Amino acid sequence: MTQHKEHWYMLTLVGEDRPGIVAHVTAALFEGDCNLGEASMMRLGGNFTVMLMVKFAGTRKALRDLLESVVDSLGLHMHIDNIEGHLHAHLQPDVRITVYAADRIGIVAKVTGALAETGLHILDLESAVAGETDKPIYVMHIEGYASEGIEALAAALALVKEEAGIEAHLTPIETMIG
Amino acid sequence: MLSILTYPDERLKTECVAVSDFDAELREFITELESTMHTSPGAIGIAAPQVGCLQRIVIVDLSETPKFENHARLVLINPEIIDWQGMEKGREGCLSVPDYTPVM
């Protein structure tokens, strides 16, 4: 294999959840001399999902070849992107928004639409459908950066709450550094 | 300004000794420690071992965060936890672990 300059790739894996996915995939990456960066991995609706920054001195195809057998054996779908990302690119969130509502279509679009218009840069979003099967509750936690100030977001959220009949709370995030 | 030790410097895990001499040198060190803390944006605290001084000295200054009920600026020398209650989650960073602010 021709040696390339080390490069960051974003590896995306999705498949039916089972124990050992992370161990098997990362063992293959380690054997291929890959360095791992930031990652988000979680179980969503019975699937296991991986978004993983991988630093690798080879082409995208070479990385795919390195992982193909382990990914196939685990029944995962794989996607690899070349990325221009790098480490130490964190943005600190200054606001947290929590939304609860009886589940129905459009909650995320309404809430995030109003917040985007008033300057919210979403840095992290997690959501779950809780409650009983016939009475599901949609729960969403957002952390972000209020580029136009928190008051603007609060006003937009108050409107959405009233119009859409949802519960939503906005709390400033104070980061204590010591 | 004092330089801040960063993880994994072993001194950060070393048990510190009590301050015994409350003298001019101690006052001067505390002034320097506080200036060092204020050079880092958003810092509200610093402890002596973070600058390599293995003594039990901590500065906490919440005077710029009036949103929280607090004791403003505290210089704690030989502090001991003798009682505590409750837990609260919040986002925290550490001068000795740069670029990482998890919810703790």
Side-chain angles (χ1 to χ4, degrees), chain B residues 20-48:
Chain B
S20 54
D21 297 329
F22 289 77
D23 53 13
E25 196 182 329
L26 175 66
R27 284 174 206 285
E28 194 181 320
F29 172 71
I30 287 168
T31 304
E32 279 189 84
L33 187 63
E34 192 162 20
S35 311
T36 303
M37 177 184 85
H38 285 306
T39 56
S40 303
I44 53 88
I46 193 166

Side-chain angles (χ1 to χ4, degrees), chain A residues 88 90 92 143 174 176-178, chain B residues 43-45 91 93-95 99:
Chain A
H88 309 292
H90 297 124
Q92 269 192 27
E143 286 194 355
E174 194 89 31
M176 302 284 187
I177 298 173
Chain B
I44 53 88
R91 189 169 281 274
C94 177
L95 297 172
D99 196 33

Side-chain angles (χ1 to χ4, degrees), chain A residues 107-162:
Chain A
I107 297 169
V108 181
K110 278 204 174 73
V111 172
T112 57
L115 295 173
E117 274 180 22
T118 42
L120 181 69
H121 181 166
I122 294 177
L123 303 173
D124 192 63
L125 186 155
E126 277 182 33
S127 68
V129 180
E132 294 163 85
T133 314
D134 59 345
K135 273 200 325 199
I137 304 163
Y138 191 79
V139 185
M140 175 166 67
H141 300 282
I142 298 174
E143 286 194 355
Y145 175 68
S147 65
E148 292 170 24
I150 287 174
E151 294 73 20
L153 295 179
L157 199 61
L159 266 180
V160 175
K161 272 171 74 171
E162 204 176 299

Side-chain angles (χ1 to χ4, degrees), chain B residues 56-87:
Chain B
R56 286 166 48 200
I57 302 167
V58 176
I59 299 172
V60 179
D61 187 354
L62 287 159
S63 52
E64 299 296 315
T65 52
K67 189 162 68 71
F68 299 105
E69 191 181 329
N70 67 71
H71 297 285
R73 176 179 172 271
L74 296 172
V75 178
L76 306 170
I77 298 175
N78 302 336
E80 280 180 56
I81 297 170
I82 52 171
D83 191 21
W84 65 276
Q85 54 180 292
M87 290 257 190

Side-chain angles (χ1 to χ4, degrees), chain A residues 4 23 25-26 31 34 37 47 54 64 68 89-91 98 100 104 111 116-117 119 124 171:
Chain A
H4 289 250
V25 171
T26 54
E31 279 162 27
C34 296
N47 291 274
V54 176
R64 173 171 286 280
E68 199 140 45
H90 297 124
L91 263 182
T98 305
Y100 302 85
R104 62 178 185 275
V111 172
E117 274 180 22
D124 192 63
T171 326

